[in-house]
Amino acid sequence: MPTTKTVGTPSPANQAIGGVPEIHYFDFCSRGRGQVIRLMCEDAGIAYKDVRYTFEEYPRLKREKLTALNPLGTLPLVLLNDKILTQSYAILRHFARQLGAYEGGTEEEKYWTDVVCDIVIDCMCRCLELDTLREVDDACPYPKGGQDLLMLI
């Protein structure tokens, strides 16, 4: 079974987003896409229910529960007032608009917020590629191109 705990107490920020979200994601040493949702909740003072799944239990839970919540069966997902929210950065942008914060005041500031989000997504994807390459060849400390990524980060 996933581990579940309640974090914080409901605040005006919870009222702004419509309640206490239930965040479902992999317990991935705080490196997965669900972590950014948790960080936003912590920073904004949003109380939330933290539901973490291990990689071992995910295949069974995907068949039995998650595909009923999200047809793609992917995590993270957020349950909030009988609504199912998916896609981590779409969730962040949605909460930002509801809070009236985090996305910038002008259209240009909103643009740059989106740029930073997209850069983070690109870096995360590239890091996953590098980890996959490293698993293939343990003798190579940094797969080809890895040095470029390290300079970027």
Short mmCIF file of all heavy atoms in Angstrom, two decimals, residues 75-114:
data_model
loop_
_atom_site.label_atom_id
_atom_site.label_comp_id
_atom_site.label_asym_id
_atom_site.label_seq_id
_atom_site.Cartn_x
_atom_site.Cartn_y
_atom_site.Cartn_z
N LEU A 75 1.89 8.97 -13.03
CA LEU A 75 2.03 9.81 -11.85
C LEU A 75 2.99 10.92 -12.19
O LEU A 75 3.84 10.74 -13.06
CB LEU A 75 2.58 8.99 -10.67
CG LEU A 75 1.66 7.91 -10.12
CD1 LEU A 75 2.40 7.10 -9.07
CD2 LEU A 75 0.40 8.51 -9.53
N PRO A 76 2.92 12.08 -11.55
CA PRO A 76 2.03 12.40 -10.44
C PRO A 76 0.62 12.73 -10.92
O PRO A 76 0.40 13.03 -12.09
CB PRO A 76 2.67 13.64 -9.82
CG PRO A 76 3.36 14.31 -10.95
CD PRO A 76 3.84 13.19 -11.85
N LEU A 77 -0.30 12.65 -9.96
CA LEU A 77 -1.64 13.15 -10.17
C LEU A 77 -2.12 13.76 -8.86
O LEU A 77 -1.63 13.42 -7.79
CB LEU A 77 -2.59 12.09 -10.71
CG LEU A 77 -2.98 10.90 -9.85
CD1 LEU A 77 -4.18 11.24 -8.97
CD2 LEU A 77 -3.36 9.74 -10.75
N VAL A 78 -3.05 14.69 -8.98
CA VAL A 78 -3.59 15.38 -7.81
C VAL A 78 -5.11 15.21 -7.83
O VAL A 78 -5.75 15.42 -8.85
CB VAL A 78 -3.23 16.88 -7.83
CG1 VAL A 78 -3.95 17.63 -6.72
CG2 VAL A 78 -1.73 17.07 -7.71
N LEU A 79 -5.65 14.79 -6.68
CA LEU A 79 -7.09 14.75 -6.50
C LEU A 79 -7.48 15.97 -5.68
O LEU A 79 -6.89 16.23 -4.62
CB LEU A 79 -7.51 13.48 -5.75
CG LEU A 79 -7.13 12.15 -6.40
CD1 LEU A 79 -7.56 10.99 -5.51
CD2 LEU A 79 -7.76 12.03 -7.77
N LEU A 80 -8.46 16.72 -6.18
CA LEU A 80 -8.89 17.93 -5.49
C LEU A 80 -10.37 18.16 -5.78
O LEU A 80 -10.73 18.43 -6.93
CB LEU A 80 -8.06 19.14 -5.94
CG LEU A 80 -8.37 20.47 -5.29
CD1 LEU A 80 -8.12 20.42 -3.78
CD2 LEU A 80 -7.51 21.56 -5.91
N ASN A 81 -11.20 18.01 -4.76
CA ASN A 81 -12.64 18.23 -4.90
C ASN A 81 -13.25 17.44 -6.06
O ASN A 81 -13.90 18.00 -6.94
CB ASN A 81 -12.96 19.72 -5.08
CG ASN A 81 -12.58 20.52 -3.87
OD1 ASN A 81 -12.60 20.01 -2.76
ND2 ASN A 81 -12.21 21.76 -4.07
N ASP A 82 -13.01 16.16 -6.06
CA ASP A 82 -13.56 15.27 -7.10
C ASP A 82 -13.02 15.56 -8.49
O ASP A 82 -13.58 15.09 -9.48
CB ASP A 82 -15.09 15.30 -7.11
CG ASP A 82 -15.69 14.82 -5.80
OD1 ASP A 82 -15.12 13.89 -5.20
OD2 ASP A 82 -16.71 15.38 -5.37
N LYS A 83 -11.97 16.35 -8.59
CA LYS A 83 -11.30 16.59 -9.88
C LYS A 83 -9.98 15.84 -9.87
O LYS A 83 -9.32 15.73 -8.85
CB LYS A 83 -11.03 18.08 -10.09
CG LYS A 83 -12.26 18.92 -10.27
CD LYS A 83 -11.88 20.37 -10.47
CE LYS A 83 -13.10 21.26 -10.44
NZ LYS A 83 -12.73 22.67 -10.42
N ILE A 84 -9.60 15.37 -11.04
CA ILE A 84 -8.32 14.68 -11.20
C ILE A 84 -7.44 15.57 -12.07
O ILE A 84 -7.79 15.87 -13.22
CB ILE A 84 -8.52 13.31 -11.87
CG1 ILE A 84 -9.43 12.44 -10.99
CG2 ILE A 84 -7.17 12.64 -12.10
CD1 ILE A 84 -9.94 11.20 -11.69
N LEU A 85 -6.33 16.02 -11.50
CA LEU A 85 -5.38 16.87 -12.22
C LEU A 85 -4.15 16.03 -12.55
O LEU A 85 -3.62 15.33 -11.69
CB LEU A 85 -4.98 18.07 -11.36
CG LEU A 85 -6.13 18.91 -10.79
CD1 LEU A 85 -5.59 19.98 -9.85
CD2 LEU A 85 -6.94 19.53 -11.91
N THR A 86 -3.68 16.11 -13.79
CA THR A 86 -2.49 15.38 -14.22
C THR A 86 -1.51 16.33 -14.88
O THR A 86 -1.86 17.47 -15.19
CB THR A 86 -2.86 14.24 -15.20
OG1 THR A 86 -3.44 14.81 -16.37
CG2 THR A 86 -3.81 13.25 -14.57
N GLN A 87 -0.32 15.86 -15.11
CA GLN A 87 0.77 16.60 -15.74
C GLN A 87 1.31 17.67 -14.79
O GLN A 87 0.69 18.70 -14.58
CB GLN A 87 0.35 17.21 -17.08
CG GLN A 87 -0.16 16.19 -18.08
CD GLN A 87 0.84 15.10 -18.39
OE1 GLN A 87 2.04 15.33 -18.44
NE2 GLN A 87 0.37 13.87 -18.56
N SER A 88 2.46 17.40 -14.22
CA SER A 88 2.98 18.20 -13.11
C SER A 88 3.08 19.69 -13.39
O SER A 88 2.68 20.51 -12.56
CB SER A 88 4.34 17.65 -12.66
OG SER A 88 5.24 17.58 -13.73
N TYR A 89 3.57 20.08 -14.55
CA TYR A 89 3.74 21.52 -14.79
C TYR A 89 2.41 22.20 -15.11
O TYR A 89 2.23 23.37 -14.81
CB TYR A 89 4.81 21.78 -15.85
CG TYR A 89 6.18 21.51 -15.26
CD1 TYR A 89 6.76 20.25 -15.33
CD2 TYR A 89 6.85 22.50 -14.55
CE1 TYR A 89 7.98 20.00 -14.73
CE2 TYR A 89 8.07 22.25 -13.96
CZ TYR A 89 8.63 21.00 -14.05
OH TYR A 89 9.83 20.75 -13.44
N ALA A 90 1.46 21.46 -15.68
CA ALA A 90 0.11 22.01 -15.85
C ALA A 90 -0.53 22.24 -14.48
O ALA A 90 -1.21 23.25 -14.27
CB ALA A 90 -0.74 21.06 -16.69
N ILE A 91 -0.29 21.33 -13.55
CA ILE A 91 -0.80 21.49 -12.18
C ILE A 91 -0.17 22.72 -11.54
O ILE A 91 -0.87 23.53 -10.91
CB ILE A 91 -0.53 20.22 -11.34
CG1 ILE A 91 -1.34 19.04 -11.89
CG2 ILE A 91 -0.84 20.47 -9.86
CD1 ILE A 91 -0.91 17.68 -11.35
N LEU A 92 1.13 22.89 -11.69
CA LEU A 92 1.81 24.06 -11.12
C LEU A 92 1.23 25.35 -11.68
O LEU A 92 0.96 26.30 -10.94
CB LEU A 92 3.31 24.01 -11.41
CG LEU A 92 4.11 22.93 -10.71
CD1 LEU A 92 5.56 22.96 -11.20
CD2 LEU A 92 4.05 23.08 -9.21
N ARG A 93 1.05 25.41 -12.98
CA ARG A 93 0.52 26.62 -13.60
C ARG A 93 -0.92 26.89 -13.14
O ARG A 93 -1.32 28.03 -12.90
CB ARG A 93 0.60 26.51 -15.12
CG ARG A 93 2.03 26.58 -15.62
CD ARG A 93 2.09 26.38 -17.13
NE ARG A 93 3.45 26.48 -17.60
CZ ARG A 93 4.09 25.52 -18.27
NH1 ARG A 93 3.49 24.38 -18.55
NH2 ARG A 93 5.33 25.69 -18.67
N HIS A 94 -1.70 25.82 -13.01
CA HIS A 94 -3.09 25.94 -12.55
C HIS A 94 -3.12 26.52 -11.14
O HIS A 94 -3.86 27.48 -10.87
CB HIS A 94 -3.74 24.56 -12.59
CG HIS A 94 -5.14 24.50 -12.10
ND1 HIS A 94 -6.17 25.18 -12.71
CD2 HIS A 94 -5.68 23.84 -11.05
CE1 HIS A 94 -7.30 24.93 -12.05
NE2 HIS A 94 -7.02 24.13 -11.04
N PHE A 95 -2.33 25.96 -10.23
CA PHE A 95 -2.28 26.47 -8.86
C PHE A 95 -1.76 27.91 -8.83
O PHE A 95 -2.25 28.74 -8.07
CB PHE A 95 -1.42 25.59 -7.96
CG PHE A 95 -2.07 24.28 -7.55
CD1 PHE A 95 -1.33 23.31 -6.92
CD2 PHE A 95 -3.42 24.02 -7.78
CE1 PHE A 95 -1.91 22.11 -6.52
CE2 PHE A 95 -4.01 22.83 -7.39
CZ PHE A 95 -3.25 21.86 -6.76
N ALA A 96 -0.77 28.21 -9.66
CA ALA A 96 -0.22 29.58 -9.70
C ALA A 96 -1.30 30.58 -10.07
O ALA A 96 -1.43 31.64 -9.45
CB ALA A 96 0.94 29.65 -10.69
N ARG A 97 -2.11 30.24 -11.08
CA ARG A 97 -3.18 31.15 -11.48
C ARG A 97 -4.21 31.31 -10.36
O ARG A 97 -4.69 32.42 -10.10
CB ARG A 97 -3.86 30.65 -12.76
CG ARG A 97 -3.00 30.85 -14.00
CD ARG A 97 -3.77 30.54 -15.28
NE ARG A 97 -4.24 29.17 -15.35
CZ ARG A 97 -3.53 28.15 -15.82
NH1 ARG A 97 -2.30 28.34 -16.27
NH2 ARG A 97 -4.04 26.94 -15.87
N GLN A 98 -4.55 30.21 -9.69
CA GLN A 98 -5.53 30.29 -8.61
C GLN A 98 -5.00 31.09 -7.42
O GLN A 98 -5.77 31.78 -6.75
CB GLN A 98 -5.94 28.89 -8.15
CG GLN A 98 -6.77 28.18 -9.20
CD GLN A 98 -7.19 26.81 -8.75
OE1 GLN A 98 -6.37 26.02 -8.31
NE2 GLN A 98 -8.49 26.55 -8.83
N LEU A 99 -3.70 30.98 -7.16
CA LEU A 99 -3.10 31.71 -6.04
C LEU A 99 -2.80 33.16 -6.40
O LEU A 99 -2.57 33.98 -5.51
CB LEU A 99 -1.80 31.02 -5.61
CG LEU A 99 -1.95 29.65 -4.96
CD1 LEU A 99 -0.60 28.95 -4.88
CD2 LEU A 99 -2.59 29.76 -3.58
N GLY A 100 -2.74 33.45 -7.69
CA GLY A 100 -2.35 34.80 -8.12
C GLY A 100 -0.89 35.06 -7.81
O GLY A 100 -0.49 36.19 -7.51
N ALA A 101 -0.08 34.04 -7.91
CA ALA A 101 1.36 34.14 -7.59
C ALA A 101 2.15 33.17 -8.46
O ALA A 101 1.57 32.33 -9.15
CB ALA A 101 1.58 33.81 -6.12
N TYR A 102 3.46 33.30 -8.43
CA TYR A 102 4.41 32.37 -9.05
C TYR A 102 4.52 32.47 -10.57
O TYR A 102 5.43 31.90 -11.13
CB TYR A 102 4.10 30.91 -8.68
CG TYR A 102 4.21 30.62 -7.22
CD1 TYR A 102 3.09 30.54 -6.42
CD2 TYR A 102 5.45 30.47 -6.62
CE1 TYR A 102 3.17 30.29 -5.07
CE2 TYR A 102 5.56 30.21 -5.27
CZ TYR A 102 4.42 30.12 -4.49
OH TYR A 102 4.52 29.88 -3.16
N GLU A 103 3.61 33.12 -11.25
CA GLU A 103 3.71 33.09 -12.71
C GLU A 103 4.11 34.42 -13.32
O GLU A 103 4.29 34.50 -14.51
CB GLU A 103 2.40 32.59 -13.31
CG GLU A 103 1.21 33.50 -13.11
CD GLU A 103 -0.01 33.05 -13.88
OE1 GLU A 103 0.09 32.16 -14.72
OE2 GLU A 103 -1.08 33.62 -13.65
N GLY A 104 4.24 35.45 -12.54
CA GLY A 104 4.62 36.75 -13.07
C GLY A 104 3.41 37.65 -13.25
O GLY A 104 2.28 37.19 -13.38
N GLY A 105 3.68 38.95 -13.26
CA GLY A 105 2.61 39.92 -13.37
C GLY A 105 2.32 40.37 -14.79
O GLY A 105 1.19 40.71 -15.12
N THR A 106 3.34 40.35 -15.64
CA THR A 106 3.16 40.79 -17.02
C THR A 106 3.24 39.58 -17.94
O THR A 106 3.70 38.51 -17.55
CB THR A 106 4.26 41.79 -17.44
OG1 THR A 106 5.52 41.09 -17.46
CG2 THR A 106 4.34 42.97 -16.48
N GLU A 107 2.81 39.77 -19.16
CA GLU A 107 2.88 38.67 -20.12
C GLU A 107 4.32 38.22 -20.34
O GLU A 107 4.60 37.04 -20.47
CB GLU A 107 2.22 39.07 -21.44
CG GLU A 107 2.13 37.94 -22.44
CD GLU A 107 1.42 36.69 -21.92
OE1 GLU A 107 0.41 36.81 -21.20
OE2 GLU A 107 1.90 35.58 -22.22
N GLU A 108 5.26 39.18 -20.36
CA GLU A 108 6.67 38.81 -20.54
C GLU A 108 7.18 37.99 -19.35
O GLU A 108 7.90 37.00 -19.54
CB GLU A 108 7.54 40.05 -20.74
CG GLU A 108 8.97 39.67 -21.06
CD GLU A 108 9.82 40.84 -21.52
OE1 GLU A 108 9.27 41.92 -21.79
OE2 GLU A 108 11.03 40.64 -21.63
N GLU A 109 6.81 38.38 -18.13
CA GLU A 109 7.22 37.60 -16.96
C GLU A 109 6.63 36.19 -17.02
O GLU A 109 7.30 35.21 -16.67
CB GLU A 109 6.79 38.30 -15.68
CG GLU A 109 7.59 39.56 -15.37
CD GLU A 109 7.02 40.34 -14.20
OE1 GLU A 109 5.89 40.07 -13.75
OE2 GLU A 109 7.74 41.26 -13.73
N LYS A 110 5.39 36.08 -17.47
CA LYS A 110 4.75 34.76 -17.61
C LYS A 110 5.49 33.93 -18.66
O LYS A 110 5.69 32.72 -18.49
CB LYS A 110 3.28 34.90 -17.97
CG LYS A 110 2.46 35.47 -16.84
CD LYS A 110 1.03 35.72 -17.25
CE LYS A 110 0.29 36.38 -16.09
NZ LYS A 110 -1.10 36.64 -16.38
N TYR A 111 5.89 34.57 -19.73
CA TYR A 111 6.67 33.88 -20.76
C TYR A 111 7.95 33.31 -20.16
O TYR A 111 8.27 32.14 -20.36
CB TYR A 111 7.00 34.84 -21.91
CG TYR A 111 8.09 34.30 -22.82
CD1 TYR A 111 7.80 33.32 -23.76
CD2 TYR A 111 9.41 34.73 -22.69
CE1 TYR A 111 8.80 32.80 -24.57
CE2 TYR A 111 10.40 34.22 -23.50
CZ TYR A 111 10.10 33.24 -24.44
OH TYR A 111 11.09 32.73 -25.22
N TRP A 112 8.69 34.13 -19.42
CA TRP A 112 9.96 33.67 -18.86
C TRP A 112 9.75 32.58 -17.80
O TRP A 112 10.58 31.69 -17.67
CB TRP A 112 10.79 34.84 -18.32
CG TRP A 112 11.39 35.62 -19.45
CD1 TRP A 112 11.03 36.85 -19.90
CD2 TRP A 112 12.43 35.16 -20.34
NE1 TRP A 112 11.78 37.20 -20.99
CE2 TRP A 112 12.64 36.17 -21.29
CE3 TRP A 112 13.18 34.00 -20.42
CZ2 TRP A 112 13.59 36.06 -22.30
CZ3 TRP A 112 14.13 33.88 -21.44
CH2 TRP A 112 14.32 34.91 -22.35
N THR A 113 8.64 32.64 -17.09
CA THR A 113 8.32 31.55 -16.16
C THR A 113 8.14 30.25 -16.93
O THR A 113 8.65 29.20 -16.53
CB THR A 113 7.04 31.89 -15.36
OG1 THR A 113 7.26 33.09 -14.63
CG2 THR A 113 6.67 30.78 -14.40
N ASP A 114 7.42 30.31 -18.05
CA ASP A 114 7.25 29.12 -18.88
C ASP A 114 8.58 28.63 -19.44
O ASP A 114 8.83 27.42 -19.52
CB ASP A 114 6.27 29.39 -20.02
CG ASP A 114 4.83 29.49 -19.54
OD1 ASP A 114 4.54 29.05 -18.42
OD2 ASP A 114 4.00 30.03 -20.30
#
